[in-house]
Amino acid sequence: MGRLVGTISRGLRAPIIHQGDKIEDFVVDAVLAAVESDGITLRDKDIVAVTESIVARAQGNYATTDDIAADVKNKYGDNTIGVIFPILSRNRFSVCLKGIAKGAKKIVLMFSYPSDEVGNHFIDMELLDEKGVNPWSDILSEAEFTEKFGKPLHEFTGVNYIEYYSDLIREQGAEVEVIFANNPTAILNYTDCVLNCDIHTRFRTKKLLKKAGAKIVFGMDEILTSSRNGSGYNEDYGLLGSNKATEDTIKLFPRDCKDTVLNIQKMFLEKTGKAIEVMVYGDGAFKDPVGKIWELADPVVSPGYTSGLEGTPNEIKLKYLADNDLAGLTGEELNKAVAEAIKNKDSDLKGQMITQGTTPRRLTDLIGSLCDLTSGSGDKGTPIILIQGYFDNYIDN
């Protein structure tokens, strides 16, 4: 066994970044300042991760409700728009909905139930059983939903999202009708012009709608894929991954992240001689077992990362090894046998029993989740994460 400390994840404090700042200089300078301040020694394969928020801020990747409205109006004209599967998040969706409503005359707003896609619940699943409602087949009007379930408030925010979103639409001068359904094609009973707002199921939703005869179908990932009146945009994800900046402005998911991480990696090599892996991260990919919220409201955990972060872990499960193949060994003899097993493991362990219990997820999703938990989403002021020892194992010095 080598050193006694394994993976370390540090949140690095940095100044507030502004539009026009060069993100590469900002990140490298912040990391080198922290390294000097705390006496940290950088090593090859260390990871520097940057929250997507400051990348987008530096890029000035912002848009207004008027920009959103212009794109919606261009795509849908005066047709009634079925806005389906919104997530229950003021930060993520409220300003986007304002813009959509500004570009529409009437919206049929279709919520999924008992929760949105990322686990924000209107009601508990057991209440559906109690009321005899089948969420996979039953389409409920707002009046029917209210009769059965009342006017539920979100457990953590205390917001009635049915009323909140309806009021936002009316304030922009559009009519609104609310329904509840989980089959995307249910909206076609009301309009054949649809804007689907789901994130991770969006491709299937579009496919089902088009197959069922929808006339106009776009996802939020197709709104503001190019600039409107000089606005920000995201050619890959549109409005997905955006956050509220002001009451009438959103910060979009950052662009050109691959170029950004490669430039940062190059600068670290030039300044330190170390081969640092770099990634941009957004939401982590984990679920709260109590609140039932799945954190990932971004379209991906990482929109850009260097090549050393490709793939999945290739690890053996030490406790499986100790309890099975090496069950008769103890002490130093066991340590040596474990070390030999690690040294001689196959380059691809996929499908082998010795990996049972390891986490079969992409490295970027695992590391991005670690970064999100380290930086938090509040006032910690640590938008840059330095991770050391992530790729080490039991025998590394």
Side-chain angles (χ1 to χ4, degrees), residues 37-267:
S37 172
D38 277 32
I40 301 167
T41 300
L42 291 177
R43 299 192 294 265
D44 289 335
K45 298 294 287 182
D46 285 352
I47 303 165
V48 169
V50 187
T51 180
E52 58 83 19
S53 178
I54 66 170
V55 180
R57 281 178 63 85
Q59 292 174 344
N61 203 20
Y62 292 86
T64 68
T65 53
D66 287 336
D67 300 325
I68 297 169
D71 203 10
V72 169
K73 184 71 173 176
N74 179 64
K75 287 180 166 65
Y76 291 93
D78 291 332
N79 291 292
T80 296
I81 305 173
V83 175
I84 71 172
F85 301 155
I87 65 171
L88 309 183
S89 169
R90 291 166 295 176
N91 176 50
R92 291 288 188 170
F93 192 68
S94 63
V95 179
C96 292
L97 182 58
K98 276 188 179 182
I100 294 164
K102 268 190 177 183
K105 288 189 173 181
K106 180 178 179 180
I107 286 176
V108 180
L109 185 63
M110 188 174 93
F111 292 100
S112 57
Y113 73 101
S115 73
D116 69 7
E117 179 189 7
V118 295
N120 289 293
H121 274 68
F122 283 115
I123 53 175
D124 191 273
M125 180 68 81
E126 291 186 2
L127 195 55
L128 297 178
D129 300 333
E130 181 182 320
K131 298 294 184 178
V133 175
N134 184 341
W136 308 115
S137 60
D138 292 351
I139 303 170
L140 304 177
S141 67
E142 182 176 3
E144 290 169 331
F145 184 91
T146 301
E147 180 186 358
K148 293 179 182 295
F149 306 116
K151 296 184 177 182
L153 303 179
H154 189 280
E155 180 179 4
F156 294 128
T157 66
V159 172
N160 180 325
Y161 280 94
I162 304 165
E163 293 180 353
Y164 179 64
Y165 283 174
S166 296
D167 288 344
L168 282 181
I169 293 169
R170 294 188 187 99
E171 287 166 6
Q172 307 312 309
E175 296 180 56
V176 61
E177 180 178 358
V178 173
I179 63 171
F180 298 82
N182 290 312
N183 184 338
T185 62
I187 194 64
L188 299 181
N189 296 322
Y190 302 82
T191 178
D192 57 4
C193 301
V194 187
L195 173 56
N196 63 295
C197 304
D198 47 338
I199 306 161
H200 308 293
T201 55
R202 63 188 184 275
F203 298 112
R204 177 177 181 269
T205 296
K206 291 177 199 174
K207 182 179 178 181
L208 290 174
L209 287 166
K210 290 175 182 177
K211 185 177 179 180
K215 183 174 71 174
I216 301 174
V217 180
F218 292 101
M220 281 184 67
D221 58 327
E222 296 171 292
I223 306 297
L224 286 188
T225 54
S226 60
S227 180
R228 282 275 169 186
N229 305 315
S231 73
Y233 63 95
N234 191 297
E235 59 270 80
D236 296 317
Y237 302 115
L239 294 180
L240 292 183
S242 63
N243 287 270
K244 179 179 181 178
T246 71
E247 293 301 323
D248 294 294
T249 310
I250 57 169
K251 176 189 62 58
L252 293 152
F253 218 41
R255 306 190 304 269
D256 306 321
C257 291
K258 186 69 172 181
D259 291 341
T260 298
V261 297
L262 290 175
N263 289 337
I264 293 172
Q265 184 181 57
K266 181 181 178 182
M267 290 174 66

Side-chain angles (χ1 to χ4, degrees), residues 12-46:
L12 306 187
R13 291 179 178 172
I16 303 298
I17 198 165
H18 297 94
Q19 181 175 340
D21 289 345
K22 188 174 181 183
I23 188 66
E24 293 89 345
D25 290 340
F26 181 90
V27 171
V28 173
D29 289 348
V31 172
L32 294 182
V35 164
E36 182 178 359
S37 172
D38 277 32
I40 301 167
T41 300
L42 291 177
R43 299 192 294 265
D44 289 335
K45 298 294 287 182
D46 285 352

